[in-house]
Amino acid sequence: MNCNIAVIKGDGIGPEVVTEAMKVLDAVGKKFGHTFNYEQLLMGGCSIDKYGDPLTDETVAIAKSKDAVLLGSIGGNTQTSPWYKLPPNKRPEAGLLKIRKELGLFANLRPAYLYPELKEACPLKESVAERGFDMMIMRELTGGLYFGERYTKEIDGVMTAVDTLTYNENEIRRIAVKGFDIAVKRRKKVTLVDKANVLDSSRLWRKVTEEVAKDYPEVEYETMLVDNAAMQLVKDPAQFDVMLTENMFGDILSDEASMITGSIGMLSSASLNETKFGLYEPSGGSAPDIAGQNIANPIATILSAAMMLRYTFDLDKEADAIENAVKKVLEEGYRTIDIAKPGEPQVKCDEMGSLIAERI
Ligand code: IPM
Ligand code: MG
């Protein structure tokens, strides 16, 4: 197969981890007879530095013309980087929000899985970690509070900031359907997380999702309030299979879920639209504090590349090969600094990439 991929390495540790994912993809290409054609594009701080804009329309157009986007991370230190002196719509994050919107990537899949080998990295009680967990957070990505109208102005002499949270039934239905479709292929359970005791938008989410649930009688469906969900994630994460939720709740809960896996450096993500097109990126950020030191964990990005093979190219065997290679290096005891126990030997970012590539 001939696969055309836009590669956006981005800022911080992005270039380091994406380089390792490309190394692993090339190993897959060699073994299974596929060609991965990469076109490298700029987004985030590096694009601001070059074009004065975190994401140019030309970059969007090129990305759209490909089959998929492989992304590292964007952004820098919000306290010290000059990027954060710019108006909000010119900062690195604006590029990320724009590409999601422009490419219609409404469904964000964030798996959180506890590797048996990393149980000790899990910050939860041993009795909880022992049981393990394997969930998929389905976060709505192009609506809600992050895309609503917002402004700050003086109202009656008082400085007032307004952010608006809007969802229509179509936006809810399309992601609910994706959530149930994915649950069918997993443990067949969907938990809708909302704040229906307060928010109108949440009540609409419940109504629409309940309708969708009727088409999937084999899937167990439940609702949970978001504050309770935050608690349940640390109390009993094994109860979750697919967690379906709106944009901001998903943003927050996916970070919480990633933390209980031991390291955010292990978690992949996929952002999909209605077609096979997808944008694949690690769940973690640009980690400017460790950038350029070759110590970042490339596994999240490598697993994101596996998701790309699975969801965009339907190459399940090849995706399995990557996931198995990751399991293997962990079983063999190789660890980057973020997942190493005190005193355990550590490998660098590029070594980890090579170890995985060699096991494809
Ligand atoms: C994420 C990030 C982004 C988001 C930020 C950088 C805008 O936190 O992908 O979770 O909130 O969507
Ligand atoms: Mg986030």
Side-chain angles (χ1 to χ4, degrees), residues 34-91:
H34 305 300
T35 311
F36 296 105
N37 308 306
Y38 307 110
E39 180 161 349
Q40 300 212 23
L41 303 173
L42 296 183
M43 185 171 90
C46 53
S47 176
I48 295 174
D49 292 345
K50 177 133 190 223
Y51 304 114
D53 187 337
L55 179 65
T56 66
D57 291 338
E58 199 197 347
T59 304
V60 173
I62 299 171
K64 262 189 193 158
S65 73
K66 306 290 176 184
D67 302 317
V69 179
L70 181 64
L71 170 65
S73 52
I74 53 99
N77 184 318
T78 52
Q79 304 294 320
T80 56
S81 164
W83 300 328
Y84 296 92
K85 301 255 182 315
L86 297 166
N89 64 348
K90 290 285 171 208
R91 291 179 194 169

Side-chain angles (χ1 to χ4, degrees), residues 165-167 172 199-206 246:
L165 167 48
T166 307
Y167 272 109
I172 299 167
L199 301 177
D200 259 29
S201 56
S202 286
R203 288 188 273 270
L204 186 60
W205 270 80
R206 278 205 187 184
E246 62 93 58

Side-chain angles (χ1 to χ4, degrees), residues 3 51 54 77 82 97 106 133 141 147 152 201 219 230 249 288 313 320:
C3 307
Y51 304 114
N77 184 318
L97 294 174
F106 63 87
F133 55 84
L141 202 59
F147 289 92
T152 305
S201 56
V219 177
F249 297 159
F313 299 111
D320 289 344

Side-chain angles (χ1 to χ4, degrees), residues 6 15 22 24 59 94 118 146 165 169 201 219 226 232 234-235 242 248 264 266 274 281 301 330-331 351:
M22 292 162 77
V24 173
T59 304
L118 298 183
Y146 294 11
L165 167 48
E169 57 178 317
S201 56
V219 177
V226 62
Q232 294 298 330
V234 292
K235 187 168 167 237
V242 173
M248 184 171 69
I264 196 163
M266 297 293 298
E274 324 251 12
E281 61 177 315
T301 316
L330 293 174
E331 278 161 19
E351 287 167 325

Side-chain angles (χ1 to χ4, degrees), residues 74 93 96-97 100 110 139 141 146 247 251 255 281:
I74 53 99
E93 285 71 13
L96 185 58
L97 294 174
R100 287 172 178 169
R110 296 187 168 183
R139 168 188 177 192
L141 202 59
Y146 294 11
N247 201 342
D251 185 21
D255 268 30
E281 61 177 315

